[in-house]
Amino acid sequence: MHNRLDPEYLAAARQQSVRQALAEDLGQAPGSGPLDPQRDLTAMLVPAGRLATATIITREATLVCGQAWVEEVFRQLRQTGNGLEVALQWRCREGESVDADSLLCELSGPARLLLTGERTALNFLQTLSGTANAARAFVAPLAGSRCQLLDTRKTLPGLRAAQKYAVRVGGGSNHRIGLFDAFLIKENHIAACGGIAEAVNAARRLAPKVPVEVEVESFEELEQALSAGADIIMLDEFADADLPRAVSLTAGRAKLEVSGSVSAERLKTIAAAGVDFISAGAITKHVKAVDLSMRVQL
């Protein structure tokens, strides 16, 4: 849409989310120092130095997403463990569609680290693959139209960047990343500023180069947003029958986004009206994790 997920931002977010997930499993509070894999009581039953191999398979057909997060899990464990490395060999590509029972990855290295990282690695891979699957399912009905699917900020806490990345893997596009990279003026902002025109004018003064989007709930508000010069207008909870009229009234003066109660069944109808974007919180908040399994061989 009007921004992209910066690679450096994504890498930093990935490192932070993996660190937090591992610390949670190991019972380490934020800021408590380096990760300590020896806090994994059950893994400590395995003799130190024992090597093992492992395989990750999927029990269902899926779009594979999240390989870098799996790699980051074992990278961080290696750094804080005994220095021995877990080697990963992927048997599929990121973004590849695979069948049920497919082998996704082969791993080898210290048995303790494989056991400690197993659940964290699978949690990321199953959640991000599930997100990519959901995005792909919403993108498919839009084929042949110029309408783009957008995500929202309705993401799982701590996984904003990861899920927005997964949406892209599934063929969708990113709305604003957070509260910092674009204006989205909603009902409460409008009321606090004294009106749509006042809110848009304030946004232009505050950050002239930043895109300004206004959420509207009626044709009257649509006219006000157009007169105020909004770059993008979000049609919130507009009926399907009203969308062609909204497109006609806008006449290209702003981009139009449809949001609210967006279901898979409505997608073709919405796109056919001629809007530019459809945003759907369901692709990130109603995620069905993919059924994966990791088997360790000692």
Side-chain angles (χ1 to χ4, degrees), residues 110-134:
R112 286 184 177 180
L113 296 188
L114 286 171
L115 293 167
T116 298
E118 172 189 0
R119 176 41 52 196
T120 301
L122 291 183
N123 282 349
F124 281 112
L125 192 62
Q126 70 186 21
T127 301
L128 298 187
S129 294
T131 303
N133 287 337

Side-chain angles (χ1 to χ4, degrees), residues 8-222:
E8 292 184 5
Y9 176 87
L10 180 62
R14 178 168 57 242
Q15 183 176 355
Q16 180 179 1
S17 61
V18 168
R19 171 65 169 77
Q20 181 176 349
L22 286 170
E24 183 177 59
D25 242 355
L26 295 170
Q28 294 184 237
S32 60
L35 292 171
D36 182 6
Q38 295 190 42
R39 292 177 64 89
D40 180 351
L41 295 178
T42 315
M44 292 298 289
L45 300 176
V46 179
R50 176 168 291 183
L51 300 179
T53 60
T55 56
I56 298 176
I57 64 170
T58 177
R59 299 186 183 278
E60 58 184 302
T62 185
L63 192 63
V64 178
C65 180
Q67 293 182 348
W69 279 260
V70 175
E71 294 166 3
E72 181 66 18
V73 166
F74 292 105
R75 185 190 71 82
Q76 291 195 22
L77 288 174
R78 178 192 71 217
Q79 288 184 337
T80 56
N82 57 14
L84 295 177
E85 182 175 347
V86 171
L88 293 87
Q89 183 65 50
W90 290 98
R91 297 305 180 186
C92 58
R93 299 183 307 277
E94 182 82 339
E96 181 179 350
S97 294
V98 298
D99 296 327
D101 300 318
S102 292
L103 172 63
L104 304 184
C105 187
E106 295 176 325
L107 307 90
S108 60
R112 286 184 177 180
L113 296 188
L114 286 171
L115 293 167
T116 298
E118 172 189 0
R119 176 41 52 196
T120 301
L122 291 183
N123 282 349
F124 281 112
L125 192 62
Q126 70 186 21
T127 301
L128 298 187
S129 294
T131 303
N133 287 337
R136 178 173 61 176
F138 270 61
V139 166
L142 304 181
S145 75
R146 64 183 183 87
C147 187
Q148 296 181 47
L149 175 72
L150 302 179
D151 52 25
T152 72
R153 288 172 49 238
K154 296 175 182 177
T155 52
L156 300 177
L159 291 180
R160 170 69 54 77
Q163 284 198 287
K164 283 185 171 286
Y165 163 81
V167 167
R168 285 172 24 194
V169 171
S173 301
N174 297 143
H175 205 286
R176 58 178 181 162
I177 305 304
L179 299 174
F180 60 93
D181 57 333
F183 290 103
L184 179 46
I185 299 170
K186 296 191 174 187
E187 179 182 10
N188 290 333
H189 303 104
I190 293 168
C193 292
I196 290 176
E198 289 81 357
V200 172
N201 290 335
R204 297 297 189 199
R205 291 193 299 270
L206 180 63
K209 296 183 180 180
V210 175
V212 177
E213 180 169 3
V214 178
E215 179 186 79
V216 302
E217 299 177 349
S218 66
F219 285 107
E220 180 182 359
E221 289 185 345
L222 172 59

Side-chain angles (χ1 to χ4, degrees), residues 3-4 56 169 213 228 234 283:
N3 54 53
R4 291 188 299 176
I56 298 176
V169 171
E213 180 169 3
M234 178 187 290
I283 60 177

